[in-house]
Amino acid sequence: MTSMTQTQPAAESPAADFPASPGNIALAERSVPRYTSYPTAPHFGPAVNGATYRDWLGRLADDTSLSLYLHVPFCQTMCSYCGCHTKVTRKVEPIEAYRRHLEAEIDLVSGLTAARRVRHIHWGGGTPSMLGPAGLESVARRLAARFDIGADAEHAIELDPRQVDDGLAATLVRMGVNRASLGVQDLNPHVQEAIGRIQPHEVVVAAVAALQRAGIGQLSFDLMYGLPHQSLEDLLRTIDQVAALKPGRLSLFGYAHVPWFKTHQRLIDEAALPDAAERFRQANAARDALIAHGYEAIGLDHFALPSDSMAIMAREQTLKRNFQGYTTDDAEALLAFGASAIGRLPQGFVQNAPDIGGYQRSIDAGEPATVRGLALSLDDKVRGDAIERLMCDFSADLEAVARRHGVPQDFFDADLARLQPLEHEGLVSRKARTVVVSDAGKPLVRVVASLFDAHLAKAGRHSAAV
Ligand code: SF4
């Protein structure tokens, strides 16, 4: 639905558009992850399975704070730029069957753990509202019956503005939803035509009005640059129109063209895609425009009004990073429901079967649908902490990181030595064991983070840093 979901590869942070000067071409060409987790999903393997998940769930203390993620992998039509894990369907039965399995999975998983305290719920996809108002409410009722959802819990959902009306908005309020994330991308008709997603400005305005009338005032918009036939003027016009609606948060991703991986992207006219220099101009101009509209830049690709909790956490250097990108969600465990969904427990990551059939067969058998994952070592936890701080704060006090995990102060010294070429280029500076990414180095923060990644050598194919 949005430009960033748990399993979406086809969106890039502005880092992807760093202009390669002669001194840093080699850096810019490095293939590095986006670090929405560490270790990253390509390192997950079958050693972690349903039995592991059962064991890990059973070890959660009853006061563990929880975040819940629900994945709905259906859409009404396929947008040609899409990189999400979703499929097009207009039939009711597969969606109904999927809803029943989500509820059965909620019963199953909640029965395997004593942890109940929910601080955060996020619905992603796909298009979660494909479950229909009755289906959404039914799943939400099941969550409320099995978990203790705090009165101040954040309950967020990704929405397609084309499907939002007063009826859906009222349903969302009854479910307890208090934050909505709308996929906007670009508001120019010729760009919408080129990406196979016709969603006029009036439709977005009407969706926002319906949500606000119902009482859902916390809004996030997802925007994209680097789209086919999208000029700099188109992008800036979209930003002006969107800023007038005053969402508290915005994300801005560059379209990543990966037709070998997402075959429907072959519908996109490659000749109409902006080149690297134009993408760089777009990313920079969009950032400047959003800042001029009063937004604070958060990490690589998010923006928030100064009063928004995300901006506050960014200023306090307590922001987190998860599979949705930058987040205020600091729960101790993430339980994920639905096909392909990725959960995170203190012991490690678990991922459900990506195919709906395989997912549903496991649930029918009364087994967790986990097919792969990764058990975190102490080394993973320490490095993951350092990488998260770099990605969120553009700096990391490595001695503080080492202290938090009870490892020696010199834990990162070998990694620090590898920073020297970046220091030489003026991309990072270092004081004792604190690393600070310079303004010039910010677009390359993924490269900086990768120097602390002990798994990278074994990695699969990632997006290039540029
Ligand atoms: S609405 Fe479009 S972009 Fe969003 S998940 Fe569906 S097909 Fe992909």
Side-chain angles (χ1 to χ4, degrees):
M1 168 47 44
T2 59
S3 50
M4 175 69 77
T5 69
Q6 274 208 320
T7 52
Q8 189 200 36
E12 281 298 347
S13 310
D17 295 301
F18 188 72
S21 70
N24 57 32
I25 281 175
L27 288 175
E29 286 180 344
R30 278 193 197 167
S31 175
V32 287
R34 288 188 290 115
Y35 292 114
T36 52
S37 70
Y38 178 80
T40 54
H43 298 292
F44 296 179
V48 169
N49 53 30
T52 323
Y53 192 30
R54 276 178 181 274
D55 178 47
W56 290 354
L57 284 168
R59 291 171 191 268
L60 291 180
D62 55 5
D63 62 347
T64 304
S65 58
L66 298 176
S67 177
L68 309 179
Y69 174 79
L70 297 114
H71 191 76
V72 181
F74 301 109
C75 288
Q76 245 171 12
T77 54
M78 182 61 78
C79 312
S80 39
Y81 66 91
C82 180
C84 302
H85 185 80
T86 190
K87 65 184 280 188
V88 171
T89 185
R90 291 182 179 256
K91 296 194 189 117
V92 173
E93 177 42 34
I95 297 173
E96 264 301 290
Y98 189 80
R99 175 194 60 77
R100 288 194 299 273
H101 285 86
L102 270 183
E103 292 175 6
E105 188 184 20
I106 291 165
D107 289 344
L108 173 67
V109 169
S110 61
L112 296 172
T113 177
R116 286 287 173 273
R117 206 160 56 87
V118 173
R119 290 168 52 161
H120 191 105
I121 302 174
H122 189 101
W123 300 71
T127 306
S129 61
M130 288 290 286
L131 290 181
L136 284 169
E137 271 198 278
S138 179
V139 177
R141 270 197 304 273
R142 192 64 63 100
L143 290 176
R146 298 284 178 248
F147 292 100
D148 299 331
I149 301 171
D152 59 348
E154 180 169 270
H155 192 154
I157 189 165
E158 298 172 9
L159 293 174
D160 182 335
R162 297 168 295 182
Q163 295 188 17
V164 178
D165 57 20
D166 286 322
L168 177 65
T171 298
L172 297 176
V173 169
R174 281 197 300 277
M175 292 162 58
V177 169
N178 50 26
R179 169 173 291 283
S181 171
L182 279 83
V184 174
Q185 325 311 349
D186 183 288
L187 287 172
N188 294 279
H190 65 281
V191 179
Q192 295 189 354
E193 179 105 13
I195 60 175
R197 180 168 175 146
I198 307 300
Q199 180 182 283
H201 179 214
E202 312 82 78
V203 169
V204 176
V205 172
V208 169
L211 291 166
Q212 288 176 335
R213 267 195 302 275
I216 301 176
Q218 298 187 83
L219 300 178
S220 314
F221 286 4
D222 298 313
L223 304 179
M224 286 190 112
Y225 66 91
L227 292 169
H229 295 291
Q230 185 189 37
S231 68
L232 183 56
E233 293 69 32
D234 293 330
L235 177 60
L236 294 178
R237 195 176 312 118
T238 294
I239 286 175
D240 285 345
Q241 290 174 318
V242 156
L245 297 172
K246 297 202 169 22
R249 298 178 192 169
L250 287 146
S251 66
L252 173 71
F253 294 104
Y255 167 62
H257 193 55
V258 288
W260 61 89
F261 184 59
K262 293 286 174 184
T263 49
H264 56 265
Q265 289 187 352
R266 291 185 190 141
L267 293 170
I268 284 186
D269 178 6
E270 280 185 353
L273 290 172
D275 64 16
E278 178 61 12
R279 283 172 62 99
F280 179 65
R281 266 195 300 277
Q282 290 184 353
N284 267 347
R287 179 189 170 91
D288 290 347
L290 286 166
I291 291 170
H293 278 294
Y295 287 88
E296 290 184 2
I298 311 285
L300 272 176
D301 42 37
H302 280 49
F303 297 84
L305 291 175
S307 56
D308 188 278
S309 56
M310 179 169 278
I312 294 167
M313 285 182 75
R315 288 196 295 273
E316 292 173 349
Q317 301 202 322
T318 54
L319 196 63
K320 309 294 282 184
R321 194 152 166 83
N322 70 7
F323 293 103
Q324 275 87 48
Y326 294 102
T327 178
T328 56
D329 175 12
D330 59 358
E332 294 158 285
L334 166 69
L335 308 185
F337 303 91
S340 80
I342 303 175
R344 177 189 47 75
L345 284 83
Q347 303 94 331
F349 297 101
V350 286
Q351 183 167 22
N352 276 349
D355 62 304
I356 293 170
Y359 161 74
Q360 294 188 167
R361 278 192 296 280
S362 294
I363 302 300
D364 284 339
E367 287 300 323
T370 314
V371 292
R372 59 190 205 126
L374 185 140
L376 289 167
S377 65
L378 176 61
D379 189 85
D380 291 334
K381 291 177 186 174
V382 184
R383 291 178 180 280
D385 191 347
I387 287 173
E388 186 174 48
R389 295 303 2 120
L390 281 168
M391 295 296 295
C392 292
D393 306 338
F394 294 113
S395 69
D397 176 346
L398 298 175
E399 288 189 6
V401 171
R403 268 196 306 279
R404 281 200 284 277
H405 298 273
V407 297
Q409 301 269 293
D410 62 357
F411 182 90
F412 289 107
D413 281 6
D415 308 287
L416 283 172
R418 285 201 297 277
L419 279 178
Q420 269 177 5
L422 301 188
E423 286 181 78
H424 194 66
E425 293 282 342
L427 302 174
V428 296
S429 62
R430 189 151 63 92
K431 196 169 174 196
R433 292 186 174 113
T434 294
V435 177
V436 178
V437 182
S438 69
D439 283 346
K442 282 181 180 174
L444 283 173
V445 67
R446 290 161 51 195
V447 174
V448 180
S450 74
L451 296 179
F452 296 88
D453 181 344
H455 292 267
L456 192 59
K458 297 175 278 175
R461 183 176 189 177
H462 293 285
S463 311
V466 170

